[in-house]
């Protein structure tokens, strides 16, 4: 059972398959004569509102956003040397999607690092660009919330780190 005190109304949270959202409220809904509490989380970027049962929050992967100390580890993951892998693109794409939807910022940073091309978009296939952009947006959203900067500035910050690596 999750303590409602673990997450505060008005705080930023990360739901693995949707990214960063704001915990707006805790709502009580009666279903079959039983009252269930739900976290109401809004994802402004995708205009989505999620109602997540409080008692299933942790098992669903809901977590607080990273701390400033966590960001150091995330940026370190961006500059680490990636492993050369000889898997077919379809298998790698599946692995990248799994990492992105895990909600783990280190895993997402690894996807960004592995798909980053210094020459720009023209060196990537369409599907590589899509996955890269999805990972970059997830990572940038979390960085922007933690550092209280615009998402575009967070993307620039990540790209500067990648270019320097």
């Amino acid at each position: 059972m999750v303590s409602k005190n673990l997450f505060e109304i008005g705080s930023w949270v990360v739901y693995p398959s949707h990214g960063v959202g704001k915990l707006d409220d805790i709502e009580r809904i009666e279903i079959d004569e039983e009252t269930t509490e739900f976290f109401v989380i809004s994802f402004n970027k995708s205009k989505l509102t999620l109602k997540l049962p409080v008692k299933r929050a942790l098992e669903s992967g809901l977590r607080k956003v990273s701390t400033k100390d966590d960001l150091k580890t995330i940026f370190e993951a961006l500059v680490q040397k990636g492993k050369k892998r000889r898997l077919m693109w379809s298998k790698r794409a599946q692995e990248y999607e799994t990492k992105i939807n895990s909600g783990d910022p280190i895993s997402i940073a690894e996807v960004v690092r592995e798909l980053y091309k210094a020459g720009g978009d023209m060196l990537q296939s369409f599907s590589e660009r899509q996955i890269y952009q999805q990972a970059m947006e997830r990572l940038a959203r979390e960085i922007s919330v933690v550092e209280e900067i615009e998402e575009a500035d967070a993307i620039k910050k990540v790209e500067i780190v990648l270019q320097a690596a």
Side-chain angles (χ1 to χ4, degrees), residues 4-165:
K4 289 184 286 185
N5 300 333
L6 185 61
F7 301 101
E8 296 176 30
I9 293 175
S11 66
W12 293 101
V13 295
V14 177
Y15 186 75
S17 57
H18 296 296
V20 177
K22 186 161 238 169
L23 178 56
D24 292 327
D25 199 4
I26 297 175
E27 204 173 276
R28 288 171 182 78
I29 300 174
E30 191 170 315
I31 302 170
D32 291 332
E33 298 180 18
E34 183 179 325
T35 301
T36 305
E37 292 183 317
F38 291 85
F39 286 133
V40 180
I41 304 166
S42 61
F43 301 89
N44 291 339
K45 184 89 175 179
S46 59
K47 296 182 176 99
L48 172 77
T49 300
L50 174 72
K51 291 185 180 181
L52 178 67
V54 170
K55 59 185 170 191
R56 297 199 48 216
L58 291 180
E59 74 183 55
S60 71
L62 187 72
R63 66 173 175 84
K64 293 180 178 185
V65 291
S66 300
T67 64
K68 289 193 185 238
D69 285 340
D70 295 334
L71 288 187
K72 291 175 190 166
T73 309
I74 292 167
F75 282 112
E76 286 170 8
L78 288 171
V79 297
Q80 289 176 353
K81 193 88 169 149
K83 301 176 199 121
K84 290 284 182 198
R85 300 181 33 213
R86 299 227 179 260
L87 291 176
M88 290 178 58
W89 167 247
S90 60
K91 292 276 188 206
R92 282 188 299 138
Q94 272 183 320
E95 287 181 8
Y96 293 149
E97 290 286 346
T98 300
K99 284 183 171 189
I100 292 168
N101 289 325
S102 74
D104 175 39
I106 303 298
S107 295
I108 296 170
E110 290 170 357
V111 173
V112 169
R113 178 193 68 218
E114 290 176 24
L115 291 178
Y116 174 75
K117 302 277 193 240
D121 287 350
M122 300 313 287
L123 298 175
Q124 292 176 315
S125 70
F126 177 74
S127 58
E128 279 181 314
R129 254 191 328 270
Q130 280 187 309
I131 293 172
Y132 172 77
Q133 288 171 343
Q134 182 184 11
M136 178 62 93
E137 285 175 9
R138 287 270 177 93
L139 188 62
R141 247 181 258 143
E142 188 154 1
I143 292 169
S144 70
V145 165
V146 174
E147 294 198 341
E148 298 176 1
I149 59 176
E150 292 295 319
E151 194 174 320
D153 294 331
I155 290 172
K156 286 178 192 165
K157 192 171 188 171
V158 169
E159 288 175 340
I160 288 168
V161 170
L162 289 167
Q163 289 168 359

